Structures are given as structure tokens and as C-alpha cells.
Amino acid sequence: MAKAQVIDALIQALGKEKVVTDPEDLICYSFDATADMPSKLPDVVVVPASTNEVVQIINIAREYKVPVYPRGSGTNLSGGTIPIQGGIVVSMQGMNKILEIDADNLVAVVQPGVVIQDLNNAVAPFGLIYPPDPGTVATATMGGSVSECSGGLRGLKYGVTKHYVMGLEVVLADGSVARFGGKTVKNVTAYDMVKLFTGAEGTLGIITEITVKLIPAPEARKSMLAIFNNLADAGNTVTEIVRSKVIPATMEIMDKVTIQTVENFAKVGLPTNAEALLLIEVDGIPEVVEREAAIVVKVVEKNKGKIQVAKDDKERDGLWAARRAALPALAQVKPTTVLEDATVPRSKITEMLVALQDIAKKYNLQIGTFGHAGDGNLHPTILTDARDTEEMERVHQAVDEIFKTALSLGGTISGEHGIGMAKAKYLPLEFGDSGMEAMRKVKQALDPDNLLNPGKMLN
Amino acid sequence: MAKAQVIDALIQALGKEKVVTDPEDLICYSFDATADMPSKLPDVVVVPASTNEVVQIINIAREYKVPVYPRGSGTNLSGGTIPIQGGIVVSMQGMNKILEIDADNLVAVVQPGVVIQDLNNAVAPFGLIYPPDPGTVATATMGGSVSECSGGLRGLKYGVTKHYVMGLEVVLADGSVARFGGKTVKNVTAYDMVKLFTGAEGTLGIITEITVKLIPAPEARKSMLAIFNNLADAGNTVTEIVRSKVIPATMEIMDKVTIQTVENFAKVGLPTNAEALLLIEVDGIPEVVEREAAIVVKVVEKNKGKIQVAKDDKERDGLWAARRAALPALAQVKPTTVLEDATVPRSKITEMLVALQDIAKKYNLQIGTFGHAGDGNLHPTILTDARDTEEMERVHQAVDEIFKTALSLGGTISGEHGIGMAKAKYLPLEFGDSGMEAMRKVKQALDPDNLLNPGKMLN
């Protein structure tokens, strides 16, 4: 039986201690952080310690034609790491060394298993930061985060993961090891393979080393809370702040459902009768911070918002605690939390927010919306129960409509969570036949036997 | 004869006025701005006015298996647009409309034939800029610039072309039209095909529409000239400025050969006995500019440099005139100017500068070096004469050694000029077999008949 042979071959190549076969252990690798997804036990989990061991795993997978599912911490939100066809899960958590911090060149070189926050802690003494900050920084790995091209709260000003990945070492589906990019700020040497593998969700190769750009940490910051009695006023404020040439580090929104749920859950003193909140932070050198904060205050007031400016770090932390509570608060209302990340051009935020309210009404669902308003990246969160088949039918219809609405506003079906299994069926809506075909050709060229993360993205 | 049939088919599809066959006219499309390259007459030049016309051209090329060479203004510096196998040159200069300036979303949508400077002029009234600024902004097109992923003087702080391309419409080698990306700041929907086509030098598809990111124009700026008696002091200054957490908009270097040639040519008052100059500009809001300029002055003086701060725009323009004169000044010394763009990590600038001096001595060549020191992106410029076969042999050996040195310092063979024909043979040095093979598979998948810009990059 192939399964036993594969396990034997893996044990022979890597040693028993790096090969996990105990059913109870395998369960932990059968799902990820995505709701409303099937789970599936892998045949085996391997925890390689080197690029060479990854090569050996790929070669065994090729020989036995067994699917390979690379995995970091499994925090992704699109079913990206579920081993839906069984086979081998390759846990990259064993390759977790920070290989180099090169402060003069503003880069760090890491293995894929390094946790994002650990990298940030390591570069902090140099006065540097690695800006991408998905909600899961404390658990997500760099490899997973690069494979998913994570976004986060600072996308508007600082960009997302792909803007920071400068070089990659990748084990390809044919078992060869390739290196692309490096430490230079400028590099136009042939195709931008670094960006092709970034966000490819492990379907084109397994990332075994990452060179990332770092930036000087901002010296000062100021957080502000703006309260609105009207969704449109909040949406217009977002657009007008950017129009005033202020690019805040973060500009987060919460709608009424979210505000009430957070307040109910965390008792942080949010105004439960408000229609929307914006949480805005500007950062930089102190002079810039003062100046930009003053402009934000003016724009908020002009748009009939009430504004509170955090006086110190304690008040700031209070405001951010409320924002961080959004998802956990919503998640405890009902057993199942379907969290989406359809994204629209920033100027369409108001239209999208209104459309989401309409969709909630139409399908008689509870939807709380929060997210990165400055990026047009909203997280409509449907509070439901996977066991309620009838309601889930309405949930799926609502999700369809959310994606179609985002696309009709010039947006995209995924701003930061990726495609995985969760959004694969919506891809043709965005790309049409020719775009799908072009991407399939790339996948087919680099992974002709469909060994890498099969059943995801393009299927 | 296929050539006559192809021309007939093109005339029938696009009309006579868009099809150029006059031999004198064809000559203009037989070369580009790269020195030391063969030229080749195309069979025909077509000037499409729409995406649909580009599709028709591709379909005719497919039918007759004729090479297709997309071209903007032909200002590239790696032989990227030379129709080395004859066939059809597709001049994108007829598609030169700015389709939309969307100031609220900080984006513009343009056709590929738009000249970079024209886009900047059009967005200026909104207080916005499109930052990538290759030396040829006044003539280069957006399509060419995206295809080559142009760099320029502001790469250190603002990044290069790929950091600004958000969406593309592309006509593929199979004649289909695909659209990738768009106006959203965040987009992780499947593969990053936008970045794959950016810098692909027209070998994977023909770009017919481009959505780019804009940013608020900096309010203030300050230019400074730093004079050094020692190359290492200049190199160390570059590293130490960044280490001080100041990221200048530009940080340009000129070596002694360049300084003396520029002064001889332009009489701008440069100190001809200096070993190196740095031209540094900081920008941002006035408070930031003052503060960063003060840090720059301190670092320069600590490294034994003499510094002059431009007091007003007139003095600033004088400094930049000297920098802009570098290439034309060097180019008039000898009939042939071989301009390279090997790039190293910023901290290796001094080593690279010293190596370049050694290479000049070893091969008895005149090499002037200037370039984007902050990016580690130097332009060693060999002053020679293509008719002198013996000297050209030494030039080629020196170029080989320049690339090998850059790679040994952890750099890349092209920071901003691309590969084209000029650097194709050096690619395996950087990527090895497996990297080359992976890129060839992508090319083969998207252009199986090798119709698009054949004879370039991967050949």
C-alpha cells in the first residue's frame, strides 16, 4: 500500500522523529482557521529541518504521486492548508531560525517557520520593524504569511507582505532548489519570480528561505476614535482624509452590529448608539504626527463625526483593545463565524457598507462589518451556525452576493485572506476564461503533476 | 512569400495608415538606445490604436509564425526592443491616452503609449506624483517602462515601477485578453500576474492598459552636495545615513572620472580634484526636510566630507544639472558608451567602487562610474569605440568581471536596465540551472511558439 511505503520512505530519509503518524497528532493538521470548510486527515506529517530535507520529501512525493501540503501555523482564513486530498503535510515549523539581521541594508533573512512577531522582536533593538501585521502576528509564520501574502492593519501606508519580500529560496515540484531576488533594493533580472511565489499559497513551490525588507520604526504615533451617526459620513471621512494628502498608518472601521457586540463582550465604553466608528492612527516623526492628526480632526468634524484623541499610550491601547476585540466578540455570538475579505477601491467604501446592510436584510442574516477602511478592505462577518442547513444556504447566497457586489464596484474577491478552497469557485468571476487559463498554464508548467497543495485556488 | 502575406493581412485588419513598410521608416525601429548591439530591420511596423487591434496582430503573427516585437519609445538600455529576428514591430505609441485620473483612490489608468512625464504633468494639478523616474521620463512610455520595470533616481525611498503597477490588461500569445489586479490597495486574488508581466520585457504578453498607484507630492525638498577625497568615505556616508534612519529621496554618486568629465563638458563648478561626490536630496513636509537635512550634514562631516546645501531652487537645479550631465558628458568622450547597471546591497557600495577602479586598471579602460548609491545601483560606464576590435575584447572581459563581482557581493546583474539581449548570457550565473529552468517553463507555458520578443532574456 502506497501510504505505508511513503511513510517508510519518509522515515528512512528524515528519521523517525520528524515523521508524525499518530492519528491524534494528525487531527491537528486536518483543518485550519477557516470556518465552514471540510476537514481531512493527512496520511502523514513531516517536519523537515533543512532545505535538503524538503527536497527529499518532494522527491518521495513525486515517486509515489502523493499530494504535498506545506503548512505554517495553519492560521489562514481560506482553507489554504487543509490537506483535502490526504497525502503529506509538510510542517515548516521546524525551520524557524532567523538567519541574519542586516541592519545596514535594512533586510532580514529568515527560515519560513519564524513567527512574524519573533522577527519583529528581533529587529526592534535595531530600531527597525517588519511592517506586515496580520491579526495573527503572534502565531503565524513568515512562510505562511508570504505564501498567503498577508495584509493587516497597516496596508494603506506601509503596503502588504509582497511589498517586503525581496528574495526567496524555493523547492520546486521537480525537486530542484531555486533562489530568486536578494538583498538589493533594485533588481530587474528576468521575471519577478519572487512575487510569483509570494501569495501562490504553496501551489507552485515550497518556500525554504525568505529575505525581507525592514524599515525604520516610526518614532511617534497618535490614535484617534471618530464616532458617526451615519455610515456615509464615516465612508466620506475615509476618502477625504486621503484626499487631504494624509496617509494614516491605519484607518479601521466598525459598523453598528460590531460596535454593539464588542461593547457587550468587552465593556470598553464604546458608544452603542453610533452607526459607525473609525479608528485612525497616524505615525512618523513627532512634527508629522501632530500635523496629520490636526488634519484628521478637522476632516472628521467637517463630516459630522465626534472625535476623541488618545492622550497617551494607555488610552491608545484602550482604543486598540476595542478593535482587536471585534473578531473574538463577533465569534462568540454564534457557533460559526464566516469572515470574508472582499475589497473595493477606497472611494467605494460607503457603497459597499450600505450594500452589506442590504444583503443582511435580504437574507435575514446577522452581519457585523469591520475592517481596513483605508484599504477598502472590509471584513463582513456572518454570525451563523454550520449545523443549521437552511440558514447556511442563505449564508452561501449572501457570500455570493458580497463577492459580486465587490467586483461590480471595481474590487476584488480577496484583499488579504487568499483563495484556497473557500473562494476558488469565485475566481472565474474576477478573471474570466483567459485570465484563468493563463494562471492554469503557469501552475501546470511549474507543477505538472499537481502535487503541491492540490484542490486549492485553481484546483 | 510569408512576409508579403503578413503585410497584406495586417493592412486588411488595421488599414494601410497603421502599417509601416517604407525601408527608411523601418530603420528607426531596427535599434534601441543600447550601445554595442546588433541592429536588425523588422519586416513591418504596425501602430495599433486599440486592444482589439493588438489581438488581430497577434492572431496574424500566430497564423504565419512571425516574431512580434512590442515597442514603446525604444529608450531601453539592454537591447530589449531590437527586432533581432525580423518580423513585426508593434509600436504602442498610437495607444497614448490617459484613460482616468482617480485622485480619491490615488490611481491613474493609462494606455501603454503615454509618456511618463505626460502622466506626471496630468496628475500634478491634483497634488499627486507617479514616482518612478528613469532618466528618460520625457520620452519613455509607460508600457515600455512597465515592461522593463524602470528604476531611476528615487528608488531608495519610493521604490521602482513594480511598486506602482496595480493592474494590467494584457494581450497574451494565444490572442486572448486578460485583466489582472485593479484599483484596490490590497489584492491577493490568485497569482500576482501583474508583477509577472511587469519587467517581463514583452516576452509574455503585450500590455494594453495599466493601472498605477499615485502618491501625494512631497511639499518640500532640500538638495545637498557632499565632496569627498576618498571613495570609502563616500561609500560609508551612504550606509551611515540610512543607518541613521534617514531615507533620502535620492542619494547619487559620481566618481573622479565622471566629475572631471562633467566639469569639462558642462562647467558647473564641480571640484575636479575630489575622489567622489554625493548628491543627496531629502523630501517631505518642511519639518521632516529640515530635520533629515541636519542629520545628513552631520553624517557627511563625520565622514570627512565637505557639504554644500542648496539654498533655493536655483541652486538645487544647478546641482541636478551636474548629475543629469553625467551620462551625456561621458558619452561625448568616446564614440561608444557601454553603460552597465550591476547592483549590490547598499553596504557593499565601497567595495564595488574600488573593484570598478581595479577593473579599469586591469583592462586598461576608461570607466566613469555614477549612479544610485542609495540603491547600491551603480552605472559603471566604459568609454570606448566599437570599431576598435582589440579594445572591445577588453571591454567585454571587463563587463564579465563587473557582473561576477556584483554577484560575489550578493548583488544582481541588472538593477534597472533589464536583460534583453545585452545580459542574457549572464543570467545562468545568477540563477543556476534550476532557476533558469523554472523561468523557461513559465515562458514556454505562456508563449509556446516563442512569438513574443524572441531572442531576448531566456532566448
Side-chain angles (χ1 to χ4, degrees):
Chain A
M1 185 209 171
K3 181 175 151 179
Q5 286 175 307
V6 168
I7 292 171
D8 277 354
L10 289 168
I11 289 174
Q12 207 151 6
L14 276 72
K16 222 177 160 56
E17 71 289 351
K18 289 176 188 155
V19 180
V20 180
T21 53
D22 201 335
E24 288 98 82
D25 293 331
L26 295 184
I27 290 172
C28 310
Y29 299 88
S30 67
F31 58 92
D32 60 23
T34 322
D36 194 24
M37 283 285 121
S39 67
K40 169 83 184 174
L41 277 188
D43 297 334
V44 55
V45 175
V46 281
V47 191
S50 67
T51 300
N52 186 41
E53 290 187 349
V54 176
V55 170
Q56 290 176 275
I57 296 164
I58 291 283
N59 285 337
I60 291 166
R62 288 170 64 211
E63 189 181 339
Y64 294 96
K65 302 251 183 264
V66 180
V68 174
Y69 290 94
R71 183 184 179 106
S73 300
T75 55
N76 83 86
L77 293 165
S78 51
T81 50
I82 299 168
I84 194 66
Q85 298 179 8
I88 307 169
V89 164
V90 185
S91 165
M92 302 306 288
Q93 291 184 305
M95 292 177 67
N96 59 359
K97 288 189 194 64
I98 295 175
L99 300 174
E100 190 187 358
I101 295 170
D102 179 349
D104 281 350
N105 287 308
L106 299 178
V107 301
V109 184
V110 301
Q111 289 188 322
V114 169
V115 168
I116 305 173
Q117 187 60 55
D118 290 344
L119 173 62
N120 260 314
N121 294 343
V123 302
F126 300 91
L128 299 173
I129 59 169
Y130 170 70
D133 63 339
T136 49
V137 274
T139 39
T141 63
M142 289 295 293
S145 163
V146 170
S147 294
E148 296 286 329
C149 188
S150 306
L153 275 65
R154 293 192 285 211
L156 173 59
K157 181 167 178 178
Y158 293 107
V160 299
T161 301
K162 67 178 154 195
H163 300 109
Y164 293 88
V165 185
M166 297 175 75
L168 291 176
E169 180 186 80
V170 185
V171 177
L172 299 165
D174 62 5
S176 67
V177 181
R179 296 182 69 92
F180 300 104
K183 282 187 183 182
T184 61
V185 176
K186 284 178 177 168
N187 183 326
V188 294
T189 302
Y191 300 142
D192 193 347
M193 300 296 276
V194 171
K195 296 297 188 296
L196 184 61
F197 288 103
T198 302
E201 303 184 6
T203 63
L204 300 180
I206 299 186
I207 294 169
T208 47
E209 191 189 292
I210 306 162
T211 302
V212 291
K213 178 179 158 182
L214 307 170
I215 63 168
E219 281 176 39
R221 57 194 182 186
K222 189 155 265 185
S223 290
M224 292 159 278
L225 180 71
I227 302 159
F228 298 88
N229 290 323
N230 183 316
L231 263 187
D233 289 339
N236 295 340
T237 298
V238 170
T239 304
E240 202 173 326
I241 287 173
V242 175
R243 200 185 292 149
S244 310
K245 311 283 181 284
V246 171
I247 312 286
T250 54
M251 190 142 57
E252 297 288 308
I253 196 164
M254 277 189 213
D255 73 351
K256 189 169 197 161
V257 173
T258 310
I259 297 167
Q260 292 178 344
T261 313
V262 168
E263 186 51 29
N264 198 31
F265 174 76
K267 311 275 180 238
V268 283
L270 294 183
T272 49
N273 56 348
E275 278 298 321
L277 292 184
L278 288 178
L279 186 51
I280 302 163
E281 185 165 282
V282 292
D283 68 8
I285 69 169
E287 295 90 327
V288 173
V289 168
E290 286 310 317
R291 190 179 137 131
E292 295 193 337
I295 295 173
V296 168
V297 169
K298 220 158 124 182
V299 173
V300 168
E301 287 173 349
K302 187 184 146 201
N303 284 282
K304 296 176 234 146
K306 267 177 54 186
I307 191 147
Q308 278 172 243
V309 181
K311 277 181 218 69
D312 50 35
D313 270 6
K314 206 184 140 205
E315 276 193 31
R316 173 189 183 272
D317 292 347
L319 293 181
W320 285 102
R323 165 64 182 84
R324 272 193 297 271
L327 186 54
L330 290 168
Q332 49 79 49
V333 175
K334 291 271 195 95
T336 307
T337 311
V338 175
L339 174 70
E340 292 305 344
D341 70 323
T343 300
V344 295
R346 188 185 310 112
S347 66
K348 304 289 186 186
I349 273 285
T350 306
E351 276 171 78
M352 190 67 193
L353 287 165
V354 170
L356 288 168
Q357 287 190 335
D358 293 346
I359 290 169
K361 255 183 235 150
K362 178 171 170 188
Y363 295 101
N364 189 25
L365 292 168
Q366 217 176 334
I367 304 185
T369 298
F370 64 98
H372 321 302
D375 307 334
N377 178 198
L378 296 175
H379 291 312
T381 306
I382 308 177
L383 313 178
T384 182
D385 185 340
R387 296 161 300 187
D388 182 341
T389 334
E390 185 276 325
E391 182 164 283
M392 286 310 286
E393 183 47 41
R394 282 182 281 123
V395 168
H396 296 150
Q397 287 171 355
V399 169
D400 279 8
E401 198 160 329
I402 289 171
F403 288 136
K404 284 177 188 156
T405 306
L407 289 175
S408 76
L409 294 172
T412 181
I413 61 173
S414 181
E416 59 181 12
H417 294 170
I419 304 306
M421 289 156 60
K423 274 167 255 168
K425 72 167 176 160
Y426 300 105
L427 276 186
L429 286 182
E430 182 156 342
F431 293 112
D433 289 344
S434 52
M436 290 297 288
E437 188 56 24
M439 293 193 289
R440 279 207 187 94
K441 284 175 179 170
V442 171
K443 164 72 174 174
Q444 166 75 17
L446 292 174
D447 181 20
D449 296 327
N450 198 19
L451 290 179
L452 295 170
N453 209 359
K456 310 299 172 66
M457 202 192 280
L458 306 169
N459 295 299
Chain B
M1 185 207 168
K3 182 174 152 179
Q5 286 175 308
V6 168
I7 293 172
D8 277 355
L10 290 169
I11 289 174
Q12 209 153 6
L14 276 74
K16 221 176 162 57
E17 71 289 351
K18 290 176 188 156
V19 181
V20 180
T21 52
D22 200 337
E24 287 98 83
D25 293 331
L26 295 184
I27 290 173
C28 310
Y29 299 88
S30 67
F31 60 90
D32 60 23
T34 323
D36 195 24
M37 282 286 121
S39 67
K40 170 83 184 173
L41 277 188
D43 297 333
V44 56
V45 175
V46 280
V47 191
S50 68
T51 300
N52 185 43
E53 290 188 349
V54 176
V55 170
Q56 290 176 275
I57 296 165
I58 291 283
N59 285 335
I60 291 167
R62 289 171 64 212
E63 189 181 339
Y64 293 96
K65 301 252 183 263
V66 180
V68 174
Y69 290 94
R71 183 183 179 105
S73 300
T75 56
N76 83 87
L77 292 165
S78 53
T81 49
I82 299 169
I84 194 67
Q85 298 179 8
I88 306 169
V89 165
V90 184
S91 165
M92 302 305 288
Q93 291 185 304
M95 292 177 68
N96 60 359
K97 289 191 193 63
I98 296 175
L99 300 173
E100 189 186 359
I101 296 171
D102 178 349
D104 281 350
N105 287 307
L106 299 177
V107 301
V109 183
V110 301
Q111 289 188 321
V114 169
V115 168
I116 304 173
Q117 187 59 56
D118 290 343
L119 172 61
N120 260 312
N121 294 344
V123 302
F126 299 91
L128 299 172
I129 59 169
Y130 170 71
D133 62 341
T136 49
V137 273
T139 39
T141 63
M142 289 295 294
S145 164
V146 169
S147 294
E148 296 286 328
C149 189
S150 307
L153 275 65
R154 293 192 284 212
L156 174 58
K157 180 167 179 179
Y158 292 107
V160 298
T161 301
K162 67 180 155 194
H163 299 109
Y164 293 88
V165 185
M166 298 175 73
L168 290 176
E169 179 187 81
V170 185
V171 177
L172 299 164
D174 63 4
S176 67
V177 181
R179 296 181 69 93
F180 300 105
K183 283 188 183 180
T184 60
V185 176
K186 285 180 176 165
N187 182 326
V188 294
T189 302
Y191 300 141
D192 192 347
M193 300 295 277
V194 171
K195 295 299 188 296
L196 184 61
F197 287 103
T198 302
E201 304 185 6
T203 64
L204 300 180
I206 300 185
I207 295 170
T208 47
E209 191 189 291
I210 306 162
T211 301
V212 292
K213 177 178 158 182
L214 307 170
I215 64 168
E219 279 174 40
R221 58 194 181 186
K222 189 156 266 185
S223 290
M224 291 159 278
L225 180 71
I227 302 160
F228 298 88
N229 290 323
N230 184 317
L231 262 187
D233 290 338
N236 295 340
T237 299
V238 169
T239 304
E240 202 172 324
I241 286 173
V242 175
R243 201 185 291 148
S244 308
K245 310 284 182 283
V246 172
I247 312 285
T250 54
M251 189 142 59
E252 297 288 307
I253 196 165
M254 277 188 214
D255 73 351
K256 189 170 197 160
V257 172
T258 310
I259 297 167
Q260 291 178 344
T261 312
V262 167
E263 185 52 27
N264 199 29
F265 173 76
K267 310 276 182 237
V268 282
L270 293 183
T272 50
N273 57 346
E275 278 298 320
L277 291 184
L278 288 178
L279 186 52
I280 302 162
E281 185 165 284
V282 293
D283 68 9
I285 69 169
E287 295 91 329
V288 173
V289 168
E290 286 310 318
R291 189 181 140 131
E292 295 193 338
I295 295 173
V296 168
V297 169
K298 221 159 124 182
V299 173
V300 168
E301 287 173 348
K302 188 184 147 203
N303 283 282
K304 296 176 235 149
K306 266 175 56 184
I307 190 146
Q308 276 171 243
V309 182
K311 278 181 218 69
D312 50 34
D313 270 7
K314 207 184 140 206
E315 275 193 31
R316 172 190 185 269
D317 293 346
L319 294 180
W320 285 102
R323 165 63 183 86
R324 271 193 297 271
L327 186 54
L330 290 167
Q332 50 79 48
V333 174
K334 291 270 195 95
T336 307
T337 311
V338 175
L339 174 70
E340 292 306 344
D341 70 323
T343 300
V344 295
R346 188 183 313 108
S347 66
K348 303 290 185 185
I349 272 283
T350 305
E351 277 171 79
M352 190 67 194
L353 287 165
V354 170
L356 288 168
Q357 286 189 336
D358 293 346
I359 290 169
K361 256 184 234 149
K362 178 169 170 190
Y363 295 101
N364 188 26
L365 293 168
Q366 218 178 332
I367 304 186
T369 298
F370 65 98
H372 320 302
D375 306 334
N377 179 197
L378 296 175
H379 292 312
T381 306
I382 309 178
L383 313 178
T384 181
D385 184 341
R387 294 162 302 185
D388 181 342
T389 335
E390 185 277 323
E391 182 165 284
M392 286 310 287
E393 183 47 42
R394 283 181 280 122
V395 168
H396 296 150
Q397 287 172 357
V399 169
D400 279 8
E401 199 160 328
I402 289 171
F403 289 136
K404 283 176 188 156
T405 306
L407 289 175
S408 77
L409 293 171
T412 181
I413 60 173
S414 181
E416 58 180 14
H417 293 170
I419 303 307
M421 288 156 60
K423 274 167 256 168
K425 72 166 175 160
Y426 300 105
L427 275 185
L429 286 181
E430 181 156 343
F431 293 112
D433 289 346
S434 51
M436 290 296 288
E437 190 53 26
M439 292 192 290
R440 279 210 187 91
K441 284 175 180 170
V442 171
K443 164 72 174 174
Q444 167 74 20
L446 292 175
D447 181 20
D449 296 327
N450 197 20
L451 290 180
L452 295 170
N453 209 0
K456 310 299 172 65
M457 201 191 280
L458 307 168
N459 294 302

